[in-house]
Amino acid sequence: QVQLVESGGGLVQAGGSLRLSCAASGSIFRINAMGWYRQAPGKQRELVASITNDGRTVYADSVKGRFTISRDNAKNTVYLELNSLKLEDTGVYYCNAGITRARGGGYYTKDYWGQGTQVTVSS
């Protein structure tokens, strides 16, 4: 089994900061890209940021310059630093990872999701 466990969400005032963490555990051969998505009430889930296993990053235009994604491959963990938070950053933040596992003499890759962590930005 593979699990992604997020932490670090909470309530913060506009302009404040938070740091989210997501740790992967279980029977893992390799973790490929990792990312953070968010879903605001009544809206579709959207990509916030992603990072490859060699450190290349992609950000949504709405968070560029405010959020920073990073990862610690030794700890199977991805982080998201959220700075200069705005009301519209409110939502449930989900961790995602493409994970390769061994099976039957071969390997297969599958997307895994965390349970989500709530980020609420107040005025």
Side-chain angles (χ1 to χ4, degrees):
Q1 273 288 16
V2 170
Q3 275 192 316
L4 298 182
V5 178
E6 299 127 334
S7 60
L11 174 64
V12 64
Q13 284 192 322
S17 298
L18 283 174
R19 188 189 196 217
L20 307 183
S21 300
C22 171
S25 62
S27 177
I28 297 170
F29 174 73
R30 182 180 63 239
I31 300 179
N32 306 302
M34 303 183 83
W36 290 94
Y37 289 71
R38 70 184 177 192
Q39 188 164 19
K43 294 190 176 181
Q44 288 190 329
R45 192 175 298 189
E46 63 175 356
L47 174 69
V48 175
S50 66
I51 184 168
T52 62
N53 53 12
D54 60 356
R56 286 172 289 138
T57 58
V58 172
Y59 293 94
D61 287 344
S62 59
V63 307
K64 282 181 183 175
R66 300 189 297 120
F67 292 8
T68 302
I69 189 170
S70 61
R71 63 190 285 174
D72 184 333
N73 291 331
K75 295 182 179 179
N76 289 344
T77 299
V78 62
Y79 306 96
L80 187 68
E81 297 274 356
L82 298 76
N83 297 312
S84 303
L85 281 159
K86 303 177 180 180
L87 296 179
E88 54 264 40
D89 294 319
T90 294
V92 179
Y93 283 67
Y94 296 91
C95 173
N96 170 268
I99 294 177
T100 299
R101 304 179 68 193
R103 181 177 65 184
Y107 300 93
Y108 73 100
T109 299
K110 177 183 171 183
D111 262 2
Y112 290 87
W113 292 88
Q115 80 284 357
T117 185
Q118 177 71 44
V119 171
T120 303
V121 184
S122 66
S123 59

